[in-house]
Amino acid sequence: MSAPASTRGALLARESGTGRTSALLPQLTLGLVCGGYAVGAATGWGSARVALFMGDFGLSVAALAAAVSCFFFARAADIRFRPAWLLFALSSLMASCGNAVWGWYECVRGVQVPSPSLADLFFLCFAPPAIVGLLVLAKRPVTRAGWVCLALDAWLIGGSLLTLSWSLALAHTAHVADAEGGSVARAALSLAYPLLDIVLVSMVLALHFRRSSVNRAAVNTAIAALALTVLCDALFTSPLLRQTYHSGQLLDAGWFAGSLLLAYAPWGAARDADNAVADADRDADRDAPRTTSRPIAGSLAALTPYLAAAVCTLGILYNVIEGRRVDRVVVFTGCTVVLALVVRQGIMLVDNIALTQELAQKENHFRSLVQGSSDVIMIAAPSGVLRYVSPAAAGVYGRDADELVGAELSSIIHPDDLGRVVHEVRRFLAAPPGEEPATRIECRFRSGTGDWLNVESTVNRHQGGLILNSRDVTERVRLQAQLQHNAEHDPLTDLPNRALFTSRVRQALGGRRAGDAGTAVLFIDLDGFKAANDRLGHQAGDELLVQAARRLQESVRAGDTAARLGGDEFAALIVGDVGREQDARECQVHEIADRLRLTLSEPYRIGAGEVRVTASIGVAFAEPGISPNDLMRNADLAMYRAKAGGKNRVELYAPQMQADVVRRSELASRLRGALRDGEFALLHQPVVHLATGTVAAVAAQARWRSAQGILFTPAEFLRIAEDSDRTAELGRWLLEEAVEQAADRARSGHPVPVAVRLPARRLLDRGFPAGSVEALLTRYGLPSGALMIEVADSDPRVSFEDLEQRLAALRRLGVRIALDGFGSGYAAINALRRLPIDVLKLDRGLVEGVVESARLHKITSGLLRIACDLGMQSVADGVDVPEQVLALRAMGCTHGQGAAFSGPLDEYRLRRALARGTFPVPGGVPAQPVLAGGSIPSLTGSHGETPVPPT
């Protein structure tokens, strides 16, 4: 037994012992008081006067105590039968008053009690309230026949007792009263006492088997008290005892005990009942359930009319045996008893016929329900043998019901389910029926074809055995299994999905193999899948994913798990091997990952052609105490490091990766705060005409001045601005600030165009509508041609059709378009062919080596020749030394931007430079530049910006 159970048992035992002690004390007190009174009455109380006092006023006090007790119990307690206890209180009060009047004559006045007297009136009023109270306690019949049977039973008992009493004593009493010439009132009084007692006894006996179960202990005690009082009244009315009776005799002890017992009944008996309930609860917790029944009481209730008729017959036989003439009262009473018995039997016969017909009808009804039910109903004996099987077994199990009857229930249950079923049945039978009336069991049954069917059974108790209501749920089980499979597997590849994969990782980290060395998670991403999917279509992309999943599934071991996490991302769980060293196991996992990379990178046959993609794989090994989410996050970080490192490679997780993520997250959070707090500043770098040195435009460049005073360039903070919302917000701020300052400079006499660099993807963003640029130009009054937008980094995901339409719309507003980073992207020629471009801006990488590298010199010269042939202006980004100025001007470049002229300037220095108008050009001003062109505004440089001069 567990500790809590032991504590609970000890507590119950202690409470039970306390309850028994508290209930035993009133009983002992009651017994001692009654016993003391009986001893006093037996010894004559020592004197005749004390005997008279105790025999009169002692009984009055006891009856008064019973009246007060019953009255306060009825008033204080919220009980169902309050009127009954009030009537018992009134009955006891009548007895108390009768004894008080009796004592008044004998003790106070010292005279003999007259007959009849006021005391007789009170004593006669004792029985009627008690009789009515007993009627209140009885169960009320439901039908009229029940009421008639109750009245007949009462008369059968009362008439029988009347016949017997009349034969034994009452007839003699009536004759004596008539012979002595007494008054009619005295004769009636002589007969009233026994007749009322007979009625009271009849009600006690008739209601003993019909009383309500509410507060049974208190009701039983009250009936016992009234029975004891009636018994003493019967002894008192007998001629032999009444002739010699005087107050204070032993007979008074019976009346005294009856009154005190009635006073004890509502309070002490109710407390005993509470203790009995507590004991029953404790027994129910400790022992098996017990069924309570009252077969003996039911038999006595059924035999009551016949016992009454037998008593009546005994009364008549007594007169015959004694040779007396049969009295007319006996004959009349006996006839009425027999008549009542015949009527009662007739009612019972009609009742039995109606019940038999109703039972037959219900039996037919339930038989039709059982035989027509689609569920199989089986009754198993306590030994497990099937005693009944409904005909539905043929349709459900494919086996005849007669074939199953007599077979062991265990013989049709699957061996793997038998132990679980037996355990559940034993647990169910041991549970209290009131707490668990039924249970549900699901197992597999053998069908007539030999297959196993999933069967759900509701099990109930039946005479120590079981009733099983079974139904075939095979299809439901299959559907649940399919739904479970669909919920845990990817619908396209049928590999485990993220939820199931996470569960498998959790099992590997928390199960019995948690300490195995080398458990690892692999995150796999297919490089180039998105481009192939866009080029070939989604159907071909799905086929590629299915083939990749098949290769992955075939490459892992039987105990490992391959999964698809979504899109083109896959994962693999490599469980640890306790039989190998950690280093050897890690080396093996790395080999598995590299083999997976090679397998997934082989060409895929899609339709009539081949598609090539590669795989980037991140590997993270389990560590003691690591959670599944952390392990999967580490593998994900390693996979992204593999993609950033050139793709088509395997990368092992290192703690530094997480530190980089934390640092970038902190910087991104600071960047969001900087946008909110206005920590960004706008600088402008002059775009200079290489032939004349005049300022043709200014390129707007954003700078972030942190709280520590550090000035970050776009190359530093844009790398961590991966949040599209933050990037869009920064782009909107840059454009609006540049337009506003350009308009302010124009009003101040410096109408120089401004160039703003924006990614192509941002131009197509929904958060950057075409109307926003027009609204800015209108709001600040910037003239046509004063704004140039540099299209940066040709993203392959950007649609050229959409970008072309957007740029054309901007040109209609008077916005000039420049192609930034020309010469570096693979899509530069395609963009030049399709997009409406006004200015070509050479990539910084070409400008840096144009002097030292002859190869770059020829490439740059060719690109400038293309710009010249197309009639476009050209701007060289990153012109930092005079030699670059001379070389670019000789090749035909029209404009330059870089440290050779000026770095990014704040607004004050920019206006001073614009007021000056020109910058010195190395080599003097030639008579005629190689390529002619006007002043065209150009945009900011690439992410690698010119260093910021001191401000």
Side-chain angles (χ1 to χ4, degrees):
M1 181 181 293
S2 61
S6 301
T7 305
R8 182 172 178 268
L11 181 60
L12 285 175
R14 184 164 59 252
E15 292 176 349
S16 175
T18 305
R20 289 195 183 99
T21 303
S22 60
L24 188 60
L25 184 59
Q27 295 175 2
L28 290 175
T29 304
L30 179 64
L32 290 175
V33 172
C34 293
Y37 190 95
V39 171
T43 59
W45 296 102
S47 67
R49 187 161 186 81
V50 175
L52 289 176
F53 182 85
M54 294 301 296
D56 295 334
F57 291 110
L59 294 181
S60 178
V61 172
L64 182 62
V68 172
S69 175
C70 294
F71 177 78
F72 280 104
F73 178 72
R75 296 287 294 175
D78 186 13
I79 58 176
R80 176 180 175 185
F81 297 113
R82 177 177 295 169
W85 293 102
L86 290 175
L87 289 170
F88 291 155
L90 178 59
S91 177
S92 298
L93 181 62
M94 294 296 101
S96 176
C97 292
N99 284 299
V101 172
W102 198 286
W104 169 261
Y105 282 109
E106 288 189 336
C107 296
V108 177
R109 299 184 60 183
V111 297
Q112 186 177 359
V113 181
S115 181
S117 65
L118 186 60
D120 294 323
L121 177 62
F122 283 122
F123 286 140
L124 289 175
C125 291
F126 167 79
I131 294 171
V132 178
L134 290 174
L135 285 173
V136 174
L137 291 178
K139 286 185 179 179
R140 296 184 179 181
V142 180
T143 62
R144 293 181 179 178
W147 284 104
V148 173
C149 288
L150 177 61
L152 291 175
D153 288 345
W155 171 244
L156 286 171
I157 298 173
S160 302
L161 292 177
L162 177 60
T163 302
L164 184 60
S165 301
W166 190 269
S167 300
L168 295 177
L170 295 183
H172 176 70
T173 302
H175 292 159
V176 170
D178 184 54
E180 292 178 355
S183 63
V184 177
R186 185 167 184 176
L189 184 62
S190 300
L191 296 176
Y193 283 116
L195 290 177
L196 287 176
D197 288 338
I198 289 173
V199 175
L200 192 56
V201 170
S202 301
M203 295 307 301
V204 168
L205 292 177
L207 299 178
H208 177 70
F209 306 109
R210 293 176 178 268
R211 65 187 181 277
S212 173
S213 59
V214 179
N215 204 359
R216 185 183 295 272
V219 173
N220 288 341
T221 307
I223 291 176
L226 293 176
L228 181 59
T229 303
V230 170
L231 178 62
C232 293
D233 287 346
L235 294 175
F236 173 75
T237 55
S238 63
L240 296 177
L241 185 60
R242 187 165 185 175
Q243 293 176 0
T244 60
Y245 171 80
H246 61 81
S247 298
Q249 288 186 341
L250 189 59
L251 184 61
D252 293 345
W255 282 316
F256 184 82
S259 296
L260 290 187
L261 192 60
L262 184 60
Y264 169 78
W267 306 98
R271 183 164 54 250
D272 294 342
D274 294 338
N275 294 331
V277 170
D279 294 341
D281 291 341
R282 185 178 65 257
D283 294 339
D285 291 338
R286 182 180 65 248
D287 302 330
R290 303 168 182 171
T291 58
T292 59
S293 62
R294 299 176 57 85
I296 298 178
S299 301
L300 290 176
L303 293 175
T304 299
Y306 306 99
L307 294 175
V311 171
C312 182
T313 305
L314 289 176
I316 298 175
L317 289 177
Y318 176 79
N319 287 334
V320 174
I321 293 173
E322 290 292 326
R324 300 178 184 176
R325 183 174 59 88
V326 178
D327 194 278
R328 287 175 297 176
V329 176
V330 174
V331 174
F332 176 77
T333 308
C335 291
T336 56
V337 169
V338 173
L339 180 61
L341 181 61
V342 172
V343 173
R344 190 183 190 283
Q345 287 301 107
I347 295 175
M348 295 301 296
L349 180 60
V350 173
D351 242 4
N352 289 338
I353 293 174
L355 289 175
T356 302
Q357 293 176 351
E358 183 180 358
L359 181 61
Q361 183 180 0
K362 289 184 177 180
E363 184 178 355
N364 292 332
H365 176 69
F366 285 113
R367 182 181 294 109
S368 300
L369 288 177
V370 170
Q371 294 180 353
S373 174
S374 59
D375 293 348
V376 181
I377 299 176
M378 299 182 295
I379 299 178
S383 60
V385 178
L386 294 175
R387 296 302 186 193
Y388 173 80
V389 179
S390 66
V396 177
Y397 301 150
R399 304 175 66 175
D400 292 337
D402 296 337
E403 177 187 349
L404 292 174
V405 173
E408 291 280 348
L409 180 60
S410 59
S411 63
I412 62 174
I413 299 178
H414 196 284
D416 295 342
D417 300 339
L418 184 58
R420 176 172 53 84
V421 172
V422 171
H423 179 270
E424 174 62 19
V425 169
R426 290 177 177 174
R427 185 203 62 79
F428 169 66
L429 293 177
E435 296 180 4
E436 190 173 6
T439 187
R440 191 179 299 273
I441 296 176
E442 188 169 327
C443 61
R444 287 167 288 179
F445 277 10
R446 186 189 299 275
S447 67
T449 60
D451 298 329
W452 293 101
L453 303 176
N454 292 94
V455 176
E456 182 185 65
S457 301
T458 301
V459 183
N460 298 85
R461 299 172 179 85
H462 175 68
Q463 298 179 357
L466 301 172
I467 295 180
L468 295 92
N469 191 347
S470 306
R471 63 195 62 86
D472 183 10
V473 293
T474 303
E475 290 301 322
R476 190 194 71 185
V477 171
R478 290 175 182 172
L479 179 60
Q480 288 177 344
Q482 184 62 41
L483 292 176
Q484 183 70 21
H485 180 85
N486 294 342
E488 295 180 342
H489 290 77
D490 176 59
L492 178 63
T493 63
D494 203 40
L495 289 179
N497 58 14
R498 183 181 293 272
L500 181 57
F501 184 76
T502 304
S503 177
R504 297 277 178 85
V505 173
R506 183 176 293 106
Q507 292 176 4
L509 296 181
R512 61 182 180 84
R513 307 190 64 171
D516 293 353
T519 297
V521 169
L522 281 61
F523 265 44
I524 306 162
D525 185 84
L526 299 181
D527 306 320
F529 170 76
K530 291 182 176 62
N533 188 62
D534 294 339
R535 185 174 70 256
L536 301 177
H538 293 292
Q539 185 174 358
D542 291 345
E543 178 62 25
L544 191 152
L545 291 175
V546 170
Q547 294 186 24
R550 187 180 304 117
R551 294 182 186 182
L552 178 62
Q553 184 68 41
E554 294 172 352
S555 300
V556 298
R557 303 170 308 171
D560 299 334
T561 301
R564 182 191 177 203
L565 305 183
D568 60 341
E569 291 188 357
F570 295 86
L573 171 64
I574 310 299
V575 297
D577 187 0
V578 72
R580 305 190 64 175
E581 295 293 335
Q582 176 71 12
D583 295 340
R585 183 61 181 151
E586 292 182 359
C587 182
Q588 182 187 21
V589 171
H590 193 279
E591 291 177 358
I592 293 174
D594 199 58
R595 185 172 66 252
L596 284 176
R597 180 185 63 82
L598 296 175
T599 301
L600 295 174
S601 300
E602 294 178 358
Y604 293 85
R605 174 66 61 177
I606 306 295
E610 289 186 349
V611 179
R612 290 181 177 272
V613 296
T614 58
S616 297
I617 302 178
V619 181
F621 287 94
E623 301 174 355
I626 193 170
S627 66
N629 292 334
D630 290 343
L631 180 59
M632 295 172 64
R633 180 206 60 198
N634 294 345
D636 197 21
L637 291 176
M639 184 268 290
Y640 277 106
R641 179 60 63 90
K643 292 178 71 69
K647 303 180 180 180
N648 193 22
R649 55 182 294 175
V650 176
E651 190 77 28
L652 297 179
Y653 170 78
Q656 183 61 33
M657 298 179 184
Q658 179 62 24
D660 293 343
V661 171
V662 173
R663 181 180 58 81
R664 294 178 62 186
S665 176
E666 292 177 352
L667 192 56
S669 177
R670 291 169 53 195
L671 176 61
R672 289 191 292 270
L675 283 170
R676 183 181 63 253
D677 300 336
E679 296 180 1
F680 277 90
L682 190 65
L683 303 181
H684 294 84
Q685 189 172 25
V687 178
V688 180
H689 197 292
L690 295 182
T692 62
T694 58
V695 179
V698 291
Q701 299 178 5
R703 292 293 186 270
W704 173 27
R705 188 182 302 277
S706 67
Q708 292 78 17
I710 302 175
L711 203 63
F712 293 102
T713 64
E716 295 170 307
F717 63 74
L718 286 181
R719 280 197 298 267
I720 54 90
E722 296 178 352
D723 188 346
S724 59
D725 294 337
R726 302 284 81 76
T727 307
E729 186 177 352
L730 178 61
R732 287 192 295 269
W733 175 87
L734 175 62
L735 180 62
E736 183 173 357
E737 192 75 12
V739 171
E740 180 182 5
Q741 293 189 16
D744 185 63
R745 285 192 298 271
R747 288 191 296 269
S748 301
H750 303 289
V752 58
V754 62
V756 180
R757 180 179 183 273
L758 293 176
R761 182 165 54 90
R762 186 59 54 205
L763 289 172
L764 299 179
D765 192 357
R766 295 180 179 178
F768 187 75
S772 61
V773 177
E774 182 179 7
L776 282 176
L777 297 177
T778 304
R779 184 195 311 168
Y780 295 106
L782 198 65
S784 177
L787 174 64
M788 173 175 285
I789 291 181
E790 296 181 353
V791 182
D793 56 26
S794 299
D795 193 335
R797 295 173 293 180
V798 174
S799 172
F800 272 110
E801 290 78 5
D802 297 339
L803 184 59
E804 182 181 4
Q805 295 177 5
R806 185 62 186 278
L807 294 180
L810 291 174
R811 288 192 72 186
R812 287 193 293 270
L813 297 176
V815 178
R816 309 301 300 275
I817 307 299
L819 182 61
D820 185 45
F822 185 69
S824 61
Y826 68 91
I829 300 300
N830 193 24
L832 189 63
R833 178 176 65 86
R834 302 185 59 177
L835 301 180
I837 304 299
D838 299 310
V839 178
L840 286 181
K841 190 169 186 180
L842 294 179
D843 184 69
R844 186 183 186 92
L846 296 177
V847 177
E848 288 178 348
V850 71
V851 178
E852 294 84 1
S853 174
R855 186 181 183 88
L856 285 180
H857 189 279
K858 292 180 179 181
I859 293 175
T860 305
S861 178
L863 295 177
L864 290 172
R865 190 174 296 109
I866 292 175
C868 179
D869 294 341
L870 294 177
M872 300 179 181
Q873 296 293 322
S874 57
V875 178
D877 185 20
V879 182
D880 296 334
V881 294
E883 292 79 7
Q884 294 174 348
V885 177
L886 296 175
L888 291 170
R889 186 171 60 188
M891 287 186 284
C893 183
T894 58
H895 297 79
Q897 170 186 343
F901 305 107
S902 172
L905 304 175
D906 57 19
E907 188 64 21
Y908 172 75
R909 297 192 179 196
L910 175 62
R911 295 203 178 194
R912 288 179 55 187
L914 293 177
R916 192 169 57 247
T918 60
F919 285 93
V921 179
V925 180
Q928 180 65 35
V930 177
L931 296 176
S935 298
I936 303 296
S938 59
L939 200 55
T940 59
S942 63
H943 283 185
E945 297 289 347
T946 305
V948 183
T951 57

